[in-house]
Amino acid sequence: MAPTSVWSALAVAVLLTATLTSCSGSDPATSAGSSPAASSSVTVEYSPGLTEDIYLPADSKRVPLVVLIPGGGWMTADPAGLASLAAGLAEAGVAAAPAHIRASDDGVTYPAPVEDVLCAVAAATEHLRSAGYAPRPVVVLGHSSGAHLAALAVLAVDDYAPTCDSPEVRPDALVGLSGPYDISQVPDVAAALLGSSPDEDPGAWASANPVARAGLRPEVPVLLLHGDADELVPVDLTTQFAEALDAAGHRTTVEVVPGADHETIYSAEVAADRITRWLRSSGPWTSASRSATP
């Protein structure tokens, strides 16, 4: 485990600068300016001023749905960099929806960003159903601070009461990419999410810590990816979260990807095939499809 003081200094100096400009706002697969190709896509507004782009596969109506949540140090949340991954998932037969959510720069603090995640999930699910798709399973994927928010939205879904225009949905599975899950190890950065220090509001900090909530919904399968070349978020934060999930009974798959860093971990080349293989082999896609109704 990285000492809290060392990791906090790293987070303040690096995570809140580099991730805000390169984490999910630019796409490592499309940095030359090319647009990702997908079978089709549509933009859906799920809350005033908040949208998500839904990438649709061409050859199936019974599909998994993956809602993608960007990072940004809990200060911003621009999903533009996740477009290539979403397109890659759609080409593999998965409906994928990179979503805008609010962050501290928008004047909100916890739990609003988690509630935005849940409303984005609800809207994407409703849109697919209205278009004749059967979205099962429903998966929430997050990168960096977005992985932390995704974990809360999936594991602690019953703790939140979002005001969504669409019927609420309980996500079926979680995918985390290079997440700082244990916010007690990144207090200087996570203060942007909580709007307080751990000493000022220990209850909120415990509630917003996915490691402390790992015992919830043990039936939910989890995939965690982290690059071994990540110099922004230590791999230990993923492996420690995985240990807590395993202890609670989750079917947890962890892959430390050789050569991937904090940015390339969410590229289509690195993540798309690993995610689709996990969906097919670990059970959430197959078991959900057997019980789904069109």
Side-chain angles (χ1 to χ4, degrees):
M1 177 184 300
T4 299
S5 59
V6 174
W7 168 230
S8 296
L10 171 66
V12 171
V14 180
L15 188 61
L16 286 184
T17 53
T19 58
L20 293 183
T21 57
S22 66
C23 174
S24 295
S26 62
D27 192 325
T30 59
S31 57
S34 60
S35 298
S39 300
S40 63
S41 64
V42 61
T43 299
V44 173
E45 185 176 44
Y46 71 87
S47 187
L50 296 177
T51 61
E52 55 190 335
D53 295 327
I54 303 179
Y55 292 74
L56 301 171
D59 57 354
S60 178
K61 288 292 186 179
R62 180 169 291 173
V63 296
L65 167 63
V66 177
V67 177
L68 296 86
I69 309 302
W74 295 287
M75 294 182 67
T76 64
D78 180 0
L82 297 172
S84 181
L85 176 55
L89 291 172
E91 291 299 322
V94 177
H100 289 87
I101 63 168
R102 293 172 296 169
S104 66
D105 279 4
D106 302 301
V108 301
T109 56
Y110 177 81
V114 182
E115 293 173 345
D116 285 351
V117 172
L118 291 170
C119 287
V121 171
T125 303
E126 182 179 47
H127 177 82
L128 286 175
R129 288 173 177 164
S130 68
Y133 289 84
R136 299 263 324 255
V138 176
V139 182
V140 186
L141 175 153
H143 171 243
S144 195
S145 58
H148 162 271
L149 298 173
L152 291 175
V154 175
L155 298 176
V157 58
D158 295 328
D159 286 2
Y160 305 101
T163 302
C164 307
D165 292 334
S166 302
E168 293 180 33
V169 174
R170 288 168 61 83
D172 301 305
L174 168 66
V175 177
L177 309 180
S178 301
Y181 304 101
D182 186 356
I183 57 174
S184 71
Q185 295 191 50
V186 291
D188 294 340
V189 184
L193 170 69
L194 276 297
S196 65
S197 70
D199 291 337
E200 291 170 329
D201 196 349
W205 280 74
S207 174
N209 191 331
V211 177
R213 318 311 303 280
L216 300 175
R217 304 190 68 201
E219 74 279 6
V220 169
V222 180
L223 170 66
L224 302 177
L225 303 180
H226 208 121
D228 70 356
D230 193 329
E231 297 182 353
L232 297 178
V233 176
V235 176
D236 284 354
L237 290 177
T238 283
T239 57
Q240 291 162 13
F241 185 38
E243 290 169 1
L245 291 167
D246 281 337
H250 291 271
R251 288 182 290 131
T252 309
T253 302
V254 183
E255 185 172 355
V256 178
V257 182
D261 60 24
H262 196 68
E263 183 175 351
T264 58
I265 193 66
Y266 64 84
S267 68
E269 290 79 3
V270 170
D273 184 60
R274 287 178 166 88
I275 293 165
T276 54
R277 280 191 287 108
W278 173 77
L279 283 169
R280 293 182 184 278
S281 65
S282 68
W285 190 338
T286 303
S287 60
S289 295
R290 284 198 297 264
S291 60
T293 57

